[in-house]
């Protein structure tokens, strides 16, 4: 009963779910893998990445705004896409690659959709560390190398926890999910 | 402290970081709003200089846009890995040969820096041997706010930008638009 209440409290808000990936990863992964939380973590990481693009690439939006004003609609879109690519390409590769890896390692309990959700949770620290790094860099302190180490290590640790979560699934649940 | 409280606080901390970044970067973008505007028609062409790439692929003497006053100049920003740039090069060659004797100069600015000079020279010799080739380390591209390539401009005799074209579209439409814009300035 208490566990169910805790799950629903964390499940309810975007900010709580994202926060749980950082400070209560086991809970976040369990919720993400549960029927009630299905699909939440993928939309959460998508929203976080979009917000990160807006917060980190504001000059792109200003440039695109000028282009829209000058009537270069397709060019404005191209500038936004090209500019966002450098920020989004690595998370997307890791999401897809991580999901396939997790599915392979999960053995008979694999479920590609649920494994993808778990990897979305595991990737959250990487994005958050990048945001913190950007904030520190604005203060003139270069911690790029440290942030890369911390971000990837943290996400790799969550990926291991995600593997544990995937391998704990009851076999019947994976069959039901695949149906 | 319970896990949900800690999670909520961590979530709000992420919101705070996002908000701070948005405020700082957004404030800077608003402050530099004018400088973020891409170079457009009617604006004076930004002053820039860049080394020429010689026939053997080494860097030669500096080219300066100010030395082209009194001439119509087509400037093309490009890179060797860019397919649309490659496709547009024969169009530039056609412009250089058709209008060169009427005072039109075609300046091709490779945006990959000195490391790609040899490659850029070989590609230009193959596809557009009549255009003048420069190597840019990023300064000219930044001055002209080149976000995507190919990025072409026509500067008139007075040094004012008269035509801006980003991307390729189609080779046929680029050839037509470029020719029309040049004819209007001659």
């Amino acid at each position: 009963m208490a566990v169910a209440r805790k799950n629903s409290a964390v499940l309810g808000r975007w900010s709580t779910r994202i926060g749980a990936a950082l400070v209560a990863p086991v809970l976040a992964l369990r919720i993400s893998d549960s029927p009630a939380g299905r699909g939440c973590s993928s939309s959460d990481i998508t929203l976080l990445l979009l917000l990160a693009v807006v917060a980190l690439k504001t000059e792109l939006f200003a440039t695109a705004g000028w282009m829209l004003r000058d009537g270069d609609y397709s060019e404005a879109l191209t500038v936004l896409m090209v500019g966002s690519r450098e920020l989004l390409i690595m998370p997307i590769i890791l999401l897809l690659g991580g999901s396939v890896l997790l599915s392979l390692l999960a053995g008979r309990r694999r479920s590609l959709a649920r494994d993808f959700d778990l990897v979305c949770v595991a990737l959250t620290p990487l994005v958050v560390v990048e945001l913190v790094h950007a904030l520190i860099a604005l203060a003139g302190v270069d911690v790029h190398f440290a942030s890369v180490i911390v971000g990837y290590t943290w996400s790799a640790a969550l990926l291991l926890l995600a593997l544990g979560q995937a391998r704990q699934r009851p076999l019947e649940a994976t069959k039901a999910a695949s149906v | 402290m319970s896990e949900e409280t800690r999670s909520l606080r961590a979530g709000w901390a992420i919101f705070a970081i996002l908000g701070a970044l948005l405020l700082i970067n957004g404030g800077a973008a608003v402050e530099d709003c004018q400088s973020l505007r891409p170079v457009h028609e009617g604006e004076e062409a930004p002053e820039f200089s860049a080394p020429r790439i010689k026939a053997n692929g080494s860097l030669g003497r500096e080219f300066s846009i100010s030395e082209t006053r009194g001439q119509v100049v087509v400037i093309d920003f490009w890179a060797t890995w860019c397919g649309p740039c490659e496709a547009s090069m024969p169009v530039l060659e056609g412009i250089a040969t058709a209008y060169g004797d009427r005072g039109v100069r075609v300046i091709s600015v490779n945006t990959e820096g000195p490391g790609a000079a040899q490659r850029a020279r070989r590609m230009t010799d193959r596809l557009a041997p009549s255009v003048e080739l420069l190597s840019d380390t990023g300064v000219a591209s930044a001055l002209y706010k080149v976000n995507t390539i190919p990025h072409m401009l026509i500067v008139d005799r007075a040094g004012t930008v008269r035509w801006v074209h980003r991307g390729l579209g189609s080779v046929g439409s680029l050839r037509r638009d470029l020719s029309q814009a040049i004819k209007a300035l001659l």
Side-chain angles (χ1 to χ4, degrees):
Chain A
M1 189 72 169
V3 170
R5 198 171 60 239
K6 185 193 279 182
N7 285 4
S8 73
V10 174
L11 193 61
R13 288 189 194 154
W14 178 81
S15 55
T16 319
R17 290 195 303 268
I18 286 284
L22 302 182
V23 297
V26 174
L27 176 66
L29 289 165
R30 196 170 59 225
I31 290 171
S32 169
D33 205 33
S34 69
R38 203 162 295 164
C40 283
S41 51
S42 48
S43 57
D44 291 346
I45 195 81
T46 305
L47 183 58
L48 182 63
L49 284 169
L50 287 177
L51 289 173
V53 168
V54 173
L56 297 176
K57 299 282 180 185
T58 40
E59 83 286 352
L60 274 184
F61 287 87
T63 304
W66 278 117
M67 287 174 167
L68 286 175
R69 187 175 178 271
D70 293 341
D72 289 337
Y73 304 114
S74 63
E75 192 55 31
L77 188 64
T78 307
V79 163
L80 283 178
M81 285 171 66
V82 170
S84 310
R85 192 172 54 192
E86 64 182 73
L87 197 71
L88 298 177
I89 194 82
M90 191 47 79
I92 290 171
I93 289 172
L94 290 174
L95 271 176
L96 298 176
S99 306
V100 172
L101 183 70
L102 196 63
S103 268
L104 289 173
L105 295 176
R108 292 169 61 204
R109 290 175 165 79
R110 76 173 56 92
S111 164
L112 196 55
R114 291 169 68 177
D115 294 336
F116 180 77
D117 280 344
L118 291 175
V119 174
C120 288
V121 176
L123 206 70
T124 305
L126 189 68
V127 182
V128 173
V129 169
E130 180 56 35
L131 289 171
V132 173
H133 163 241
L135 196 58
I136 294 171
L138 283 174
V141 184
D142 184 16
V143 288
H144 176 70
F145 185 68
S147 73
V148 168
I149 298 286
V150 171
Y152 279 89
T153 308
W154 196 348
S155 279
L158 257 71
L159 202 58
L160 284 176
L161 290 174
L163 179 61
Q165 175 65 38
R167 294 179 83 128
Q168 279 173 18
R169 283 177 200 141
L171 274 173
E172 311 81 62
T174 56
K175 280 175 192 156
S178 61
V179 170
Chain B
M1 198 191 301
S2 67
E3 277 184 323
E4 55 262 43
T5 310
R6 280 193 294 133
S7 302
L8 184 63
R9 287 187 181 178
W12 281 112
I14 295 168
F15 262 129
I17 292 167
L18 281 166
L21 284 168
L22 195 59
L23 268 177
I24 296 168
N25 290 334
V30 168
E31 205 170 294
D32 299 336
C33 197
Q34 283 298 330
S35 69
L36 289 169
R37 183 173 190 182
V39 173
H40 54 283
E41 286 94 345
E43 186 181 339
E44 191 176 343
E47 181 63 45
F48 82 95
S49 60
R52 290 178 169 85
I53 300 178
K54 293 197 288 192
N56 62 4
S58 63
L59 298 185
R61 66 187 175 86
E62 291 270 316
F63 163 91
S64 171
I65 188 75
S66 57
E67 70 186 58
T68 64
R69 288 285 184 272
Q71 296 173 311
V72 173
V73 188
V74 179
I75 306 173
D76 172 39
F77 290 91
W78 69 287
T80 53
W81 49 261
C82 162
C85 302
E86 188 176 357
S88 67
M89 287 177 92
V91 177
L92 295 172
E93 174 65 12
I95 296 292
T97 50
Y99 299 100
D101 56 350
R102 294 166 72 182
V104 175
R105 287 175 73 173
V106 182
I107 311 291
S108 174
V109 186
N110 179 266
T111 56
E112 297 165 281
Q118 299 253 0
R119 214 164 47 242
R121 181 76 266 170
R122 279 196 300 273
M123 201 161 151
T124 305
D125 285 348
R126 186 165 52 89
L127 296 167
S130 305
V131 309
E132 297 174 57
L133 181 59
L134 310 181
S135 174
D136 176 38
T137 51
V139 178
S141 312
L143 282 168
Y144 281 78
K145 317 277 168 31
V146 176
N147 296 300
T148 53
I149 49 174
H151 183 122
M152 295 177 202
L153 308 97
I154 298 179
V155 180
D156 70 8
R157 296 179 200 276
T160 306
V161 175
R162 289 295 173 201
W163 183 81
V164 181
H165 186 89
R166 300 184 191 90
L168 175 64
S170 73
V171 170
S173 67
L174 175 66
R175 185 178 287 120
R176 188 185 60 241
D177 295 349
L178 201 49
S179 298
Q180 277 176 0
I182 288 171
K183 278 177 192 162
L185 294 173
L186 291 176

